[in-house]
Amino acid sequence: MVDLYKEGFIRIHIREVYPLHEAPEAHRLIEKCHGRGNVILLSRRSALIDY
């Protein structure tokens, strides 16, 4: 999946990226906003997402 994303075959709309310790804030955003986009929680820095 990561390779498909990097090569542009999969497009992902990411609304916000949070470190795992900010999970409560991410959950509040999900409850408040009913729009397009994903909320991502990372346990550590990811090479896939530059933030």
Side-chain angles (χ1 to χ4, degrees), residues 4-21:
L4 291 173
Y5 172 75
K6 287 182 177 180
E7 293 173 16
F9 291 106
I10 298 174
R11 293 177 51 189
I12 302 170
H13 181 81
I14 299 173
R15 174 183 287 271
E16 199 71 47
V17 178
Y18 288 95
L20 188 58
H21 71 272

Side-chain angles (χ1 to χ4, degrees), residues 9-42:
F9 291 106
I10 298 174
R11 293 177 51 189
I12 302 170
H13 181 81
I14 299 173
R15 174 183 287 271
E16 199 71 47
V17 178
Y18 288 95
L20 188 58
H21 71 272
E22 292 184 18
E25 181 62 31
H27 190 35
R28 282 190 283 280
L29 177 67
I30 293 168
E31 288 179 336
K32 182 176 82 171
C33 299
H34 299 284
R36 183 175 170 202
N38 296 304
V39 175
I40 308 295
L41 288 174
L42 296 177

